[in-house]
Amino acid sequence: MHTKQRPLSPHLQVYRPQLTSAMSICHRISGVALSVGTLLLTYWLVAAAAGPEAYARAQSVLGGFFGSLILFAFTGALFYHLCNGIRHLMWDAGYGFNIPTVYRSGYAVMIAAAVLTVLVWLLALLFGGS
Amino acid sequence: MRYRTPIKGALGLGSAKDGVHHWWMQRLTAIAMVPLVLWFSFSLISYAGADYEVVRAWIGSPLVAVLLVVLIASVFYHAQLGLQVVIEDYVHLEWLRIASIVLMKFATVLLALAGILAVLRIALGA
């Protein structure tokens, strides 16, 4: 029996890319990225507890060009995962399974995630640093 | 009619009976984090660039400290559950899969405790 040699589903390489499958794997990727990125939250809190010098160092790291770039990507991943997570919770509750609704909720998630990301950064640039 | 053979019960194979708990805790932490993440993100808009003492006073105020502790616990619990499934799906070598899951669980607990201790140190003025 060569059971281990058998190809396993779902044969992703023979599927035409679809919004549904792309958003599904993006949920996973953003989840893993957020798990790693949450190191920054811990770092920021530990620096705030450690003292003014450590906090100033953390602020310069996170507020620098690369820090801001990573934080922007983190915000995007966060709001995507949050919005798509709500979509998943709706499915868990048994709603929104017919195909047109799945596509509509998919587009709604992408728009909501983009709007929230841009809104947070716009407000941060306008009112932050006070 | 019972389809299960007695040998199945004797060997103790099959469900470890904690799949539903994993699924349910992932959903509970997700629901808790919807308002917490929105609150934290929009709070950071005004506090991210603020002076050290202002930020400390914010983190240390009783309500914020409690919400931050709940947020940190939910984040790392949720991350632990999610990462476990990802590792189980993609790491096929058994020893590497088990080692990755153990290391990941240690790391998430360590990070959660570090974050919670930092908030408590600030809140309690240590």
Side-chain angles (χ1 to χ4, degrees):
Chain A
M1 285 271 282
H2 293 285
T3 48
K4 286 186 177 167
Q5 308 302 321
R6 287 178 193 159
L8 296 167
S9 65
H11 308 294
L12 285 176
Q13 68 279 5
V14 303
Y15 270 127
R16 185 162 47 84
Q18 301 163 93
L19 180 84
T20 42
S21 59
M23 287 192 71
S24 171
I25 195 64
C26 279
H27 194 70
R28 230 171 212 209
I29 292 167
S30 60
V32 173
L34 288 168
S35 302
V36 178
T38 311
L39 275 167
L40 296 176
L41 172 67
T42 309
Y43 170 54
W44 185 73
L45 288 168
V46 168
E53 299 85 25
Y55 187 73
R57 205 158 44 239
Q59 286 295 87
S60 70
V61 170
L62 297 173
F65 177 74
F66 284 109
S68 303
L69 205 66
I70 288 170
L71 282 180
F72 184 79
F74 184 86
T75 317
L78 178 68
F79 285 127
Y80 175 79
H81 200 84
L82 180 83
C83 295
N84 205 45
I86 293 170
R87 183 164 169 247
H88 270 280
L89 288 172
M90 294 303 290
W91 287 331
D92 291 336
Y95 299 106
F97 278 114
N98 69 67
I99 295 298
T101 311
V102 167
Y103 273 81
R104 262 204 306 279
S105 62
Y107 286 119
V109 161
M110 289 193 289
I111 291 166
V115 166
L116 280 168
T117 306
V118 171
L119 182 70
V120 160
W121 279 82
L122 210 65
L123 290 173
L125 290 174
L126 288 174
F127 302 110
S130 54
Chain B
M1 166 121 190
R2 279 175 60 87
Y3 290 98
R4 292 185 173 186
T5 55
I7 191 75
K8 184 179 160 68
L11 292 174
L13 297 174
S15 166
K17 312 281 194 301
D18 70 355
V20 173
H21 184 244
H22 181 116
W23 186 92
W24 181 237
M25 291 316 288
Q26 197 167 33
R27 268 70 190 170
L28 276 191
T29 48
I31 292 165
M33 278 191 292
V34 172
L36 286 171
V37 163
L38 287 172
W39 159 75
F40 184 66
S41 307
F42 282 89
S43 299
L44 273 190
I45 290 169
S46 41
Y47 286 105
D51 290 334
Y52 178 67
E53 290 306 325
V54 176
V55 172
R56 263 189 86 105
W58 179 67
I59 294 173
S61 59
L63 180 66
V64 173
V66 169
L67 289 178
L68 280 177
V69 169
V70 177
L71 175 65
I72 294 165
S74 304
V75 162
F76 284 105
Y77 196 170
H78 191 83
Q80 186 181 78
L81 295 170
L83 289 174
Q84 184 187 340
V85 176
V86 172
I87 293 169
E88 284 168 351
D89 280 355
Y90 301 129
V91 182
H92 299 307
L93 268 176
E94 192 181 18
W95 69 267
L96 186 61
R97 178 170 65 240
I98 293 169
S100 307
I101 290 174
V102 169
L103 275 178
M104 177 276 292
K105 290 205 170 190
F106 284 172
T108 45
V109 169
L110 210 65
L111 286 167
L113 289 178
I116 289 169
L117 181 67
V119 172
L120 292 181
R121 279 180 72 195
I122 295 170
L124 302 175

